[in-house]
Amino acid sequence: QVQPVESGGGLVQAGGSLRLSCTTSGRTFSSFAVGWFRQAPGEEREFVAAISSNGRDTYYGDSVKGRFTISRDSAENTVDLQMKSLKPEDTAVYYCAAGDGSYYYTPLAYDYWGQGTQVTVSS
């Protein structure tokens, strides 16, 4: 069983940076692709970024390209999301998820989800 656990959320001013981290309790991430999604109140869950199981391929949603960077450290069993130039519209609960790597952009491709961490960007 893989249980993702997110950390690193908080309150930041527009233009600032935050680094989210995801690890697991139970099995390691090593054989899974990992994605970050976010959901704002009243909105659908939105794809943010994903990384392949071997770390060689990364994918980003259009709204975060050039500002966010996803990376993984297999030795530490973590997947991080570095967020820069944050905007108020980035405010949401951010979720980490693990899956088989197919159709990385849809929540349906991920089997295991964390509880989420709140990111709030003030203007």
Side-chain angles (χ1 to χ4, degrees), residues 2-95:
V2 175
Q3 180 57 58
V5 179
E6 305 95 339
S7 62
L11 174 64
V12 64
Q13 289 189 330
S17 300
L18 273 178
R19 188 177 187 91
L20 305 183
S21 188
C22 181
T23 188
T24 61
S25 58
R27 288 176 61 188
T28 67
F29 272 141
S30 58
S31 61
F32 293 93
V34 176
W36 284 95
F37 289 78
R38 66 187 183 187
Q39 189 165 20
E43 304 278 340
E44 292 188 354
R45 196 161 291 193
E46 178 190 8
F47 170 71
V48 175
I51 189 164
S52 61
S53 57
N54 60 15
R56 293 174 185 165
D57 300 308
T58 58
Y59 311 90
Y60 296 93
D62 289 341
S63 61
V64 307
K65 279 181 184 174
R67 299 189 298 123
F68 291 12
T69 304
I70 190 170
S71 62
R72 69 189 302 161
D73 185 329
S74 296
E76 295 293 326
N77 192 40
T78 57
V79 173
D80 289 351
L81 184 69
Q82 177 67 52
M83 306 185 295
K84 298 181 179 179
S85 302
L86 284 161
K87 306 174 182 179
E89 50 264 44
D90 294 318
T91 295
V93 176
Y94 283 70
Y95 297 91

